[in-house]
């Protein structure tokens, strides 16, 4: 079990700003959503407890952080409503589910025109085997985490995602040998 992260006792403001891209033909105009939520020590403790075990009931969470179940419910709802929390998921063992290959793939596109990026992002988002996709700075445009059943399956995926795409200049893949650390716990200070 990971070590618990202790929240400071002072109150902090958390602001989340989503800055969406310039408008593109056929795509709704961008908006900027700003949400602000004042967090106290119990909020930090609640987030920490949920990161460690999201299957805990609201009663159990309340016992851990010193709140009633209805108070936990209100705080969690507010965190979701303001965008501080986006979803609760189960973290499975992909190898045990028949996807033992984890590929870390760097992708470079020919031109980074906004329309091209939107098309590439849509194709990557649509693949259930692309687990994570990051648009990054530097020599590469995207870094992906891709799961596959075996080398042949990965080869088929890259043909569909990259080889058949005229906008992809090149890609480079590293295959995971061993997981040294895999965490979804956000450090809270």
């Amino acid at each position: 079990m990971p070590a618990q992260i202790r929240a400071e006792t002072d109150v902090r403001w958390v602001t989340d700003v989503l800055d969406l891209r310039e408008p593109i033909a056929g795509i709704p105009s961008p908006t900027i959503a700003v949400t602000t939520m004042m967090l106290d020590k119990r909020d930090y403790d609640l987030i920490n407890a949920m990161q460690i075990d999201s299957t805990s009931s609201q009663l159990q969470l309340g016992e851990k952080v010193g709140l009633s179940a209805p108070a936990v419910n209100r705080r969690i709802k507010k965190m979701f409503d303001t965008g501080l929390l986006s979803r609760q998921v189960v973290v499975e063992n992909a190898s045990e589910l028949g996807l033992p290959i984890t590929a870390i793939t760097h992708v470079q596109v020919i031109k980074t025109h906004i329309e091209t990026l939107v098309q590439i992002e849509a194709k990557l988002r649509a693949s259930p085997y692309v687990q994570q996709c990051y648009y990054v700075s530097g020599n590469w445009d995207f870094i992906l985490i891709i799961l596959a059943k075996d080398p042949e399956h990965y080869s088929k995926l890259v043909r569909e995602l990259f080889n058949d795409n005229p906008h992809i200049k090149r890609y480079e893949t590293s295959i995971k040998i061993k997981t040294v650390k895999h965490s979804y716990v956000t450090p809270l200070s």
Side-chain angles (χ1 to χ4, degrees):
M1 174 181 270
Q4 278 200 330
I5 299 162
R6 304 250 185 254
E8 294 179 16
T9 56
D10 63 330
V11 175
R12 299 197 183 271
W13 287 92
V14 174
T15 303
D16 184 30
V17 178
L18 299 174
D19 187 5
L20 304 177
R21 296 196 165 126
E22 294 296 317
I24 301 169
I27 297 177
S29 297
T31 58
I32 296 177
V34 178
T35 57
T36 302
M37 179 177 175
M38 193 169 87
L39 299 178
D40 62 19
K41 181 180 181 328
R42 286 187 174 155
D43 289 319
Y44 280 106
D45 290 346
L46 182 57
I47 294 167
N48 187 60
M50 291 171 62
Q51 287 186 117
I52 292 168
D53 183 6
S54 70
T55 63
S56 297
S57 70
Q58 291 180 355
L59 181 63
Q60 291 168 322
L61 290 169
E63 290 171 356
K64 292 177 184 176
V65 301
L67 292 169
S68 67
V72 167
N73 185 349
R74 284 190 300 274
R75 285 176 185 243
I76 291 172
K77 182 180 182 327
K78 186 175 181 181
M79 289 176 196
F80 275 104
D81 289 347
T82 60
L84 183 65
L85 299 180
S86 59
R87 60 191 173 135
Q88 288 178 270
V89 297
V90 171
V91 179
E92 70 282 340
N93 182 336
S95 292
E96 295 298 319
L97 294 171
L99 295 164
I101 304 289
T102 299
I104 299 91
T105 304
H106 296 72
V107 179
Q108 187 177 45
V109 299
I110 293 172
K111 293 182 180 176
T112 55
H113 294 297
I114 194 74
E115 295 85 2
T116 301
L117 294 175
V118 168
Q119 290 171 0
I120 293 170
E121 288 173 6
K123 189 166 189 169
L124 296 173
R125 233 184 259 110
S127 173
Y129 298 101
V130 176
Q131 295 293 292
Q132 298 172 49
C133 175
Y134 303 98
Y135 180 58
V136 297
S137 62
N139 294 330
W140 300 98
D141 296 300
F142 294 97
I143 298 177
L144 313 173
I145 306 297
I146 302 173
L147 298 179
K149 299 172 188 173
D150 52 43
E152 292 78 23
H153 180 233
Y154 180 74
S155 180
K156 180 182 176 209
L157 288 170
V158 296
R159 272 193 313 276
E160 292 169 2
L161 293 171
F162 311 132
N163 295 351
D164 296 340
N165 189 328
H167 301 296
I168 302 297
K169 182 176 183 177
R170 67 188 182 115
Y171 63 91
E172 184 176 293
T173 299
S174 297
I175 301 296
K176 175 195 82 173
I177 303 298
K178 173 176 91 171
T179 300
V180 176
K181 180 179 181 180
H182 188 145
S183 175
Y184 292 103
V185 177
T186 301
L188 303 176
S189 57

